[in-house]
Structures are given as structure tokens and as C-alpha cells.
Amino acid sequence: MTAPPLSALQIRIFLLCALIVLLDGYDLQAMGLAVPALGRQWHLTPSAFTLAQSASLLGLGLGSAFIAPLGDRLGRRPLLLAGLAIILLTSLGAATATGPGQLAVWRLLIGLGLGVGQSNASALTAEYAPLARRATIMTLMGVCVAFGGVLAGLTAPQVIAAAGAQGLFLVGAALPLLALLATALGLRESPAIAITQAPNRGGTLLVLLRPPYRERTLRLWLVYGLSAMLLYFLFSWLPVFLINAGWSPAQASHGIALLQFGGIAGSLVQAWLVDRHRTITALVGGYGTTLITALLFAIPGSAPAWPVLLVFMGSGVAGVVMSIIALGAIFYPPEIRATGFGWAGAITRVGAVLGPLAGGWIIAAGVSSRTTLGLIAVPALFCIAATLAMRRSVADAQEQAACDTLSESYGS
């Protein structure tokens, strides 16, 4: 059955949640862009900012796991407002930092706010989205992370020229201020929260690890964590791999753009399949594309085709990560949805840490770029096996979600 047109309320909710998610992409990219300017200002080498770079990822994981689940008990709207307020205040704090230690503390707190916001924005989007379009709408929201990074990259030179590196953090405070005002005025609470007014509403990690959610939770964590590891491995080290293969720095930057472009296109195709109950086909197709592309990278003489291969690699790796979050909406009912999204987000941060570490080890070992990109086929094959093992869990969850018609009337 064709889903009815989106209502004005649904569109407003989706745009507000997309703005909240965009903050994560801006923050991640802005910090990387601020490091060279801060290093010159404080007379430090880039390595001095390693802790500050990692602190926001740690904070995001902690916020996702331990604070975001409160959205199942208190409501999505209060947690989103609180998360935005945290990002606003701590971004202002980061702009006042006088050294990398202070900056790391503020970055940790910014990550807490981002973790709270992302998980509850995902849950709220899932609960307002029509079931037949849920995966596509959630994927479009996830793409806003990439748009946030693009926004930071396009505006950073002008901001740094006008206000120094601290200006990036001031913009990072202005954006959540805008989102906070818009959310306070225009965001309505999830109907699922109002309907599930029960004393035991809300979830904990133990709920996710008990039947009937245990198997689907562990399988989701495995696939999502491995996908995030692959994605952050590429985002962290792809420019280095390309430069080592003979690309100029400018060409290497374009390589990241090609990867992102492929990810956006691939995620929309995969979301279209998920909305048509072809979830396993979508995920296996994404990982299969990654595997084949990795093997083509490893072929001697394939260098002229690398730009095209990067697009296909992005459609597989980045596409899966952007679309797989829709599984959280399928796997968990509204009363534990923020908890499910929160812990899944925390697991992706583990992958986000392990991916760059693996890349560093490979570079230290002196492995060639061609061989390194070819080795991506190994985890891609493992992801295919893990996805195929998830078939029963996905089928059961989709059958259960199909019985829940609440989302079809959320626009009224």
C-alpha cells in the first residue's frame, strides 16, 4: 500500500531532527580543521591534540549509552532540548580554552550532548515516519552528518580568517542555539511516548540483552560496529593511502569527496530496498560492492580506475552505515527505542576508534596502498556472513513492525 503524503507536522519534525544530526558532522569536521590553526597559535604540533580529537568520540559514546536512553522515560523532546543546551554551552567553553587539556575536557562534554541528541532525534524520526518510508527518511537524516562536514569545510577558511580557530567553536555554538530555539518552538513530543505511559516504560542495557531483543541486539552491534570500523578506517587514512600511491594532496581530498558522494547515493538505494522489506538484500549488496571494489583496488594496473572505484567503495561502506540505522527502528518498539539507538551509537564509536588504530598499524607495517585497500575485502566478507546470519532476526522484527500502525497516523 502506498504511504499517504507527509503532513506539515511530519516535515517539520524531520527537518528539525536533520538539523540536530547535522551538528555532529559539523563538529567532527570543524575540530580537524581547527587543529592546524590552534597549533600555530599555541606553538604545538598536531599530535598534541590527539586527546582533544578523541574526547568528543568518547563523550558521544558515553552520552549515547548512559544519557540518551532517558528519552524512553522522560520523552524525546526534553532530551533533545537538554542535548542542544549542552552542545551550546560547551562549544562556548571550547572557544575559551587556552590549551589542549582544557580543550579535551570541553570536547568530551560536547560529545555527551551530541550523543543525547543523535539517539533521540533518530528515535523521534522513526516514530513520525510512515512505515513504508521509514528507512528512506531516516537515511536522509543520516546523510545530514555528511552535509554538516561539508558546511564546516566550506566555511572554515572564512571563519578562521575572521575570528581565528576559536571562531569555528563559536559557529559550533551558534548552530545549536538556532536548533535549540527552533526545537523549543516547533518540536512536538512523540505520540509513542504519550501512548506508552506505563510505570515500566523505558529501557536499560539489560532489556536489550534479554529475549526477545538479545539476538537482534548482538547481531546489530556486530554488523554496525564492523561497518563503522571500515568507514572510519577510510575516512581517517584514505588521503594518506592515496598520497602514498602518487596522488597529490588536492587529489587526495577529492578522493574523500568521491567516497562521500558514493555513500549518499548508495545509502538511498539501500534505504529504498529496506522500505520494501529487502533489508538483507540491501546490506549484502552494499558489503558485496565493497568486497568486489576492494579486490579491484588490489589488481596491478588498476590505478586509472581508482576514482570510479572510490565512488563504488563509498556506496558500499558509507552507504551501509548511513542506512543500517533504520534497523534500530525495526528492531525496537517505541518504549525502548532511544535505548536501542543509544547503545548502537555507542558501539559505532568503538568501531570509530578501532578503524583508525588499524590503519595506523598497517601504515607502520609498510603495507602498500594497493594491498591495504585490497585487504578491506576481508572484513567485508565477514560482514556478509554476519548479515546473512541476521535473516531470521530481521524477518521477525519486520513482521512485528508491520503490526504497529501508529506511525501511519502521526501526521494528524
Side-chain angles (χ1 to χ4, degrees), residues 103-125:
L103 184 60
V105 173
W106 289 117
R107 296 289 300 163
L108 176 69
L109 296 175
I110 289 173
L112 289 175
L114 291 170
V116 172
Q118 267 201 356
S119 300
N120 282 280
S122 296
L124 189 64
T125 299

Side-chain angles (χ1 to χ4, degrees), residues 12-24 121 125 137 140-145:
R12 185 170 78 243
I13 296 294
F14 300 152
L15 289 176
L16 287 172
C17 289
L19 177 58
I20 293 169
V21 170
L22 180 143
L23 298 177
D24 183 31
T125 299
I137 290 171
L140 286 171
M141 186 188 69
V143 167
C144 288
V145 176

